[in-house]
Amino acid sequence: MARMTMIEAIREAHDAAMAADERVVVFGEDVGFFGGVFRCTAGLQEKYGKSRCFDAPINESGIVGTAIGMAAYGLKPVIEIQFADYVYPAYDQIVSEAARLRHRSNADFTCPLVIRMPTGGGIFGGQTHSQSPEALFTHVSGLKVVMPSNPRDAKGLLLASIADPDPVIFFEPKRLYNGPFDGHHDQPVESWKSHPLGEVPDGDDIVPLGKAAIRREGAEVTVLAYGTMVFVAEAAAEETGVDAEVIDLRSLMPLDLEAIVGSVQKTGRCVIVHEATRTSGFGAELMALVQEHCFYHLEAPVIRVTGWDTPYPHAQEWEYFPGPGRVGEALKKVMED
Amino acid sequence: MTSDTRPLSLNVPEPGCRPGNTPDFSGFEIPRAGAVPRPPVDVDPDAIRDMAFSIVRVLNKDGEAVGDWAGALSTEELHEGLRHMLLLRTFDARMLNAQRQGKTSFYMQHLGEEAVSCAFSRALEPGDMNFPTYRQAGLLIASGYPMVTMMNQIYSNAEDPLHGRQLPIMYSSKEHGFFTISGNLGTQFVQSVGWAMASAISGDTRIAAGWIGDGSTAENDFHAAMVFASTYTAPVVLNIVNNQWAISTFQGIARGGVGTFAARGHGFGIASVRVDGNDYLAVHAVAKWACERARRGHGPTLIEHVTYRAGGHSTSDDPSAYRSRREAAAWPLGDPVERLKKHLIAIGEWSEERHAQAEAEVLDTVRTAQKEAEAIGTLSAGKVPSPRDMFEGVYETMPPHLIRQRQEAGF
């Protein structure tokens, strides 16, 4: 057990997977010699050689497309898209190919592939370094979608994703790379090294896909969150005094419906928070599921706190980002209804 | 605007011949058979730049095999090659008809392009992997894939290996080195490069073959495949089948006719060759050369197979709406079956009688397979795959939401 940042945990997961299985190969833009623009693959090329960890041309469709060919061959590629905002050129390969390979070939060919990408805002990343495109992937049958919120989960979920026989989209909230962030941008940033969730087990302990984690137990309202919003929700609960149960979904597909339903049936209220834009965002799916499964337990309409339906702005960062103030308002409102 | 600047205008290329016009291929330069020398397999791509602007041809107009690229195939192999092409042509004709009879929803034929996939298949070894488009079924036929299974897939019947999930002709057979076909164009071209990279990463000796049509070279994945293949010296043969047409769009809209499609390899430092796609011997010889290059670690080869799509694009297409009905007959590289037949006759190994007999035998083989497949079922009758099956194989293990949906659907 060691204290580490999310970056170090992700690097550790790569290291453990590459050591355990020579079929694991790692590549992407700036991933090889340099070790990645966020350092998530630092030292891997030196340790495992250039045929296991290497730099790729700047072509997202090429990175994903070649990885699909490698996976079909029998390797286990773990590839990086430098920012989730830049995944779109690869969307055809992900949706039409990676997601469908098993089904359309009746498992003649499969695609055990992990596509990592830094996601989310709160870093003055502007339009193309802040997006949260998870809903574009949860909508695609055949894909799994994962987003950790802390170093321990980042390592465990990445190892589970690499071991998984299906293609996994692995979102890494870059705002959480170095430490937790609750949306209070005017306060000093804490490091993971002094946070209990920075404790990461050695070796290859996995965190199973499809299992949520309760980050804060509560009786009055269920908050469904993932990524950076987990910490924002926790802060909002503390600051408003609303006894919220904060659930960190961790896996969006497959989704831990049991944990959601169990909590909402207990509390009778639900607030959904995500950074992504509202309309047709993943929150809409969560809201529909809560309505379908918890209708007679609900004491108030479900509320979504999300990014606005606008491109992610630069100067208006904190008016866009759903911070503890906005989440807190929602918690108070859902209690009044 | 200065006084000497005229208004700009958009260039939209037009084919030389539209319905009602007389086809004219007089501007199409065809080198004589045997004119292009065969370089060593470790040749520097820069040393063979001319090959991207010429055409490797073996069979001359008298049906003789001439030049450096001749002599790679035995008489038995040539007989087998002719049989494969006849099988594919007959299979196409029967399936086209089955679609017209409503036994399936869709079909795409290979008419005029039989040599490309049939001859290429012979250059590969077991374990190699093709990443085909929807117009290389000759790879399956020449590698001995059961024709009944192909028909079962086309009919989406209970014995369809893909359980009715896929549109007809989107075959898949790992065992026969035939990667699952996708409806999305160009995607498989870059996947073939990745498969080849994986072979290299694993220290294997297997190679990959990518396939793309002239129209789809305009897709972004064509470029992606070229840059990755070149950067990593991937053991892959990248095949462009230039059949002049992309549905109704002539090759000029993909900017064919400017340089050649093969010449696009030059910018990436890839060995690039053009071959007569209707010359079984030439396609095989060039394929064998390119495969050996790849297998010996000399890197990728780009091959432009120059041919002509003699049939409609698909059963949903009527080519007389956009091109002359006489164009296929005017195509200067002729018909691949006729040319191989002529060659076998020229070397005293075939006759009109034997050919007629072979055609009859092939027809009988295809009919028998068709009866067998139709006895199982077609899209409209007989045994069909279980509806339950559409929920299977989305993931290795069915997640809870799909189990719920399957139950909701009543299966």
Side-chain angles (χ1 to χ4, degrees), chain B residues 161-355:
Chain B
L162 308 182
H163 296 199
R165 295 174 192 160
Q166 268 279 47
L167 192 70
I169 73 161
M170 305 282 183
Y171 316 105
S172 173
S173 176
K174 191 175 192 173
E175 193 191 342
H176 285 78
F178 194 93
F179 187 72
T180 161
I181 296 180
S182 169
N184 296 66
L185 299 179
T187 51
Q188 78 290 338
F189 213 53
V190 66
Q191 291 163 6
S192 74
V193 176
W195 197 97
M197 288 167 69
S199 180
I201 287 167
S202 308
D204 202 344
T205 58
R206 296 187 284 164
I207 65 166
W211 294 88
I212 202 165
D214 48 286
S216 298
T217 61
E219 291 279 8
N220 299 330
D221 279 347
F222 174 74
H223 174 271
M226 301 285 278
V227 70
F228 277 72
S230 177
T231 297
Y232 301 109
T233 324
V236 63
V237 181
L238 295 167
N239 296 282
I240 303 168
V241 182
N242 177 7
N243 67 15
Q244 317 298 319
W245 291 94
I247 309 186
S248 74
T249 309
F250 93 113
Q251 54 139 328
I253 296 290
R255 217 45 184 139
V258 175
T260 64
F261 288 104
R264 278 152 217 198
H266 288 165
F268 296 90
I270 295 176
S272 304
V273 180
R274 259 174 128 214
V275 64
D276 178 345
N278 291 12
D279 180 340
Y280 185 93
L281 284 77
V283 171
H284 168 263
V286 169
K288 194 164 180 280
W289 181 83
C291 290
E292 197 184 337
R293 252 183 89 71
R295 211 179 303 280
R296 290 178 185 277
H298 301 306
T301 303
L302 182 69
I303 304 176
E304 177 186 347
H305 302 260
V306 183
T307 183
Y308 184 84
R309 195 197 79 209
H313 166 72
S314 72
T315 49
S316 309
D317 177 48
D318 172 15
S320 70
Y322 50 81
R323 70 183 190 188
S324 167
R325 289 176 196 274
R326 290 172 292 165
E327 201 176 78
W331 173 244
L333 295 176
D335 177 89
V337 173
E338 289 303 315
R339 286 175 66 193
L340 181 54
K341 174 188 162 191
K342 190 173 184 175
H343 172 62
L344 281 165
I345 291 173
I347 60 172
E349 291 289 345
W350 203 239
S351 65
E352 290 293 347
E353 295 71 35
R354 286 177 73 182
H355 191 80

Side-chain angles (χ1 to χ4, degrees), chain A residues 49-114:
Chain A
K50 289 202 318 188
S51 69
R52 299 278 307 280
C53 177
F54 51 91
D55 291 316
I58 303 174
N59 186 314
E60 288 75 16
S61 181
I63 291 169
V64 176
T66 52
I68 291 168
M70 290 179 197
Y73 174 94
L75 298 185
K76 291 182 81 84
V78 182
I79 57 173
E80 180 179 295
I81 300 294
Q82 201 160 79
F83 287 86
D85 315 62
Y86 301 134
V87 72
Y88 310 120
Y91 200 58
D92 189 26
Q93 286 287 350
I94 296 172
V95 176
S96 312
E97 303 293 323
R100 312 289 197 231
L101 223 52
R102 177 188 294 278
H103 191 255
R104 79 168 192 237
S105 72
N106 192 30
D108 200 18
F109 296 91
T110 60
C111 194
L113 165 70
V114 180

Side-chain angles (χ1 to χ4, degrees), chain A residues 6 10 84-85 87 115-120 131-138 144-149 168-174 177 227 250 252:
Chain A
M6 193 187 279
I10 289 163
D85 315 62
V87 72
I115 306 174
R116 293 177 39 243
M117 43 187 136
T119 190
Q131 296 169 34
S132 298
E134 62 271 13
L136 296 180
F137 298 95
T138 53
K144 294 183 178 174
V145 180
V146 175
M147 194 187 302
S149 67
V168 180
I169 308 296
F170 195 86
F171 286 108
E172 299 166 4
K174 56 190 158 313
Y177 266 157
R250 302 200 287 199
L252 308 187

Side-chain angles (χ1 to χ4, degrees), chain A residues 106, chain B residues 145 148-167 170 376 383 385 389:
Chain A
N106 192 30
Chain B
Y145 187 75
V148 178
T149 312
M150 293 171 76
M151 290 171 172
N152 290 339
Q153 196 282 328
I154 289 165
Y155 289 143
S156 285
N157 65 24
E159 297 295 319
D160 170 6
L162 308 182
H163 296 199
R165 295 174 192 160
Q166 268 279 47
L167 192 70
M170 305 282 183
I376 299 160
K383 288 190 203 133
D389 189 82

Side-chain angles (χ1 to χ4, degrees), chain B residues 98-170:
Chain B
Q99 190 278 337
R100 300 298 187 218
Q101 294 168 340
K103 292 172 182 170
T104 185
S105 64
F106 183 72
Y107 191 70
M108 300 178 99
Q109 56 175 338
H110 304 72
L111 192 63
E113 301 177 37
E114 292 89 346
V116 174
S117 52
C118 289
F120 192 92
S121 177
R122 190 179 290 282
L124 294 171
E125 290 181 8
D128 294 341
M129 186 62 67
N130 283 290
F131 287 74
T133 76
Y134 45 66
R135 224 186 292 279
Q136 278 89 43
L139 296 168
L140 283 176
I141 284 180
S143 69
Y145 187 75
M147 191 170 274
V148 178
T149 312
M150 293 171 76
M151 290 171 172
N152 290 339
Q153 196 282 328
I154 289 165
Y155 289 143
S156 285
N157 65 24
E159 297 295 319
D160 170 6
L162 308 182
H163 296 199
R165 295 174 192 160
Q166 268 279 47
L167 192 70
I169 73 161
M170 305 282 183

Side-chain angles (χ1 to χ4, degrees), chain B residues 21 60 194 295:
Chain B
N21 299 147
N60 67 18
R295 211 179 303 280

